[in-house]
Amino acid sequence: MKARLLRCRRLIVLAALSLSMSQALAEEFRVEEVPSVTAVAPARMKPGTILFSDHPPDKIADGETGLMKFEDWARERPLQKRFLSPFPGYVEPRIMVSVHGIEKPYVEKLHMYVVETRFLIGRPADAIDLKRFVTLDVVEKLDPSIRHHRITADQARPNIDPKSAHNRHPDRRWCEAPQSLCIESRYPLEGRLPVGIRLANKLEEGGKKISEFMDFQSEIRVLPQTEIDQAGLAKLTNMDAPVAGVLEQTLFDVNQVMQFGKLLAVLQPDPADPSKTVATVFMALGIETDVLQQKKEFASVPVLRNLIPVQVLMGKSSFNTGNSISAGLPSYVRNRIRAIAQMLDK
């Protein structure tokens, strides 16, 4: 009798585990790459699928990196530039550099990595609470390998540091928007990257050292209805439906590699079924062009040939590892968007 009871209990436990695993698999969003996310009508979308596009047209893609020059992006995609820059009038940073002891103005050229994604949420738009994303505990769940802590407007570097003035918001101070969360984040690079960086720093004499950490400050907020540009955002998403909610995260200070980042999530009711919501999520990263051009000093050292910055950034290096930033931008963004989709769908 006891043996039978034990067997029954084991069967029940196994059945419960199987059910929970099936539910987890059912909730997992899969990524499907498409040429253009905004060209796909909601009627053609499938539940549990994230439509994903991160390849710009050949006419504006850099043949070597696959990225876009900021100036080309601004010219060819002005609507994206308006909504996905730190603020609408953003331009490439104008900074002062020392050349033979003389300060001279210099334009920090940028390349853009821009991602468009779209997915269905099985709930009406007015039932989705975006405000929960403006909390530290939810932000930490999106990527547990990145540590965050709150900061105030007086700790936001562009507000206080003249060297970061090029990323200063022209209309207000960062971190003073109503119902916003401002955070400073630190991500320790993983896997083989720290070892490669230490070796690169030893070989580099007198130059700027590469950090083993990504440090960045950002502002997260839900846009109030008075700030939502209904016509502009509907044009950006290419969907004729009212915008029910907008979540944005703006990276306004990064210690290396990038100048800025922007995540913009736009929620609209499904035109064919108001009980569902279409989420269109964009992510734009302004990468310093100088970083992409650092090749010769790495390529000449056999052990560092795979540490060429553009290869590491785009996930094409043997130094890439993990699921976060160290995996390269394409993998990191896919995992980040998948985490957001699963949270929105709960």
Side-chain angles (χ1 to χ4, degrees), residues 237-257:
T237 63
N238 192 32
M239 206 173 92
D240 187 16
V243 176
V246 179
L247 174 73
E248 68 172 18
Q249 179 178 12
T250 306
L251 277 69
F252 51 74
D253 186 88
V254 189
N255 69 324
Q256 59 187 356
V257 178

Side-chain angles (χ1 to χ4, degrees), residues 286-344:
I287 302 166
E288 295 170 0
T289 301
D290 287 350
V291 173
L292 303 180
Q293 295 173 343
Q294 293 174 356
K295 300 174 186 175
K296 292 181 180 179
E297 58 267 41
F298 291 91
S300 61
V301 181
V303 74
L304 295 180
R305 282 176 184 165
N306 282 326
L307 196 64
I308 293 174
V310 67
Q311 291 180 348
V312 176
L313 277 172
M314 302 313 293
K316 298 178 180 179
S317 167
S318 60
F319 282 89
N320 291 118
T321 186
N323 296 312
S324 191
I325 299 173
S326 293
L329 294 180
S331 292
Y332 167 68
V333 172
R334 282 166 173 78
N335 292 328
R336 181 75 181 272
I337 297 296
R338 189 182 287 113
I340 291 172
Q342 289 175 185
M343 282 191 179
L344 284 171

Side-chain angles (χ1 to χ4, degrees), residues 153-173:
D154 291 332
Q155 295 170 307
R157 276 184 284 273
N159 292 345
I160 59 175
D161 187 353
K163 292 181 180 179
S164 302
H166 48 269
N167 278 3
R168 195 171 290 169
H169 200 295
D171 301 324
R172 60 177 177 83
R173 297 213 304 168

Side-chain angles (χ1 to χ4, degrees), residues 4 14 20 36 39 78 81 87 89 118 154 164 167 213 233 237 277 290 298 300 323 325 327:
R4 286 182 181 175
L14 286 171
S20 63
S36 172
K81 191 266 178 184
F87 43 83
R118 177 171 282 173
D154 291 332
S164 302
N167 278 3
F213 297 86
L233 287 171
T237 63
T277 302
D290 287 350
F298 291 91
S300 61
N323 296 312
I325 299 173

